[in-house]
């Protein structure tokens, strides 16, 4: 029973610490602009999908293709 209380106390401390860090790191006035803040125009849906979906897949395929093309272990099995 004593070990269960220690684990519960530890879990409570971790939860409280995490919540405190999240509260401290959240921006207090996110709607106000800072001096020199100049946000650009937003991305369209097509641009967003291309940047965060298509581009990583293409990069993965290019890197995987280069690895397969330059693989020397297949050539020495012959």
């Amino acid at each position: 029973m004593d070990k269960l209380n220690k684990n519960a106390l530890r879990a409570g401390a971790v939860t409280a610490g995490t919540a405190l860090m999240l509260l401290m790191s959240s921006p207090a006035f996110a709607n106000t602009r800072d001096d020199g803040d100049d946000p650009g125009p937003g991305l369209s849906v097509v641009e967003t999908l291309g940047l965060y979906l298509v581009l990583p897949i293409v990069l993965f395929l290019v890197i995987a293709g280069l690895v397969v093309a330059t693989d020397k272990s297949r050539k020495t099995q012959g």
Side-chain angles (χ1 to χ4, degrees):
M1 187 72 167
D2 188 36
K3 185 172 181 149
L4 181 64
N5 288 338
K6 278 186 177 181
N7 286 342
L9 183 64
R10 185 176 298 139
V14 168
T15 303
T18 303
L20 183 64
M21 290 297 162
L22 285 173
L23 285 173
M24 287 182 4
S25 66
S26 66
F29 301 104
N31 291 337
T32 61
R33 295 274 181 218
D34 290 334
D35 289 340
D37 190 14
D38 188 19
L43 296 175
S44 69
V45 174
V46 174
E47 290 172 332
T48 303
L49 289 176
L51 184 63
Y52 293 109
L53 183 70
V54 176
L55 185 64
I57 291 172
V58 169
L59 285 174
F60 172 80
L61 291 175
V62 167
I63 293 170
L66 288 172
V67 168
V68 169
T70 59
D71 187 20
K72 303 242 190 278
S73 63
R74 290 188 301 148
K75 295 176 184 174
T76 59
Q77 286 179 353

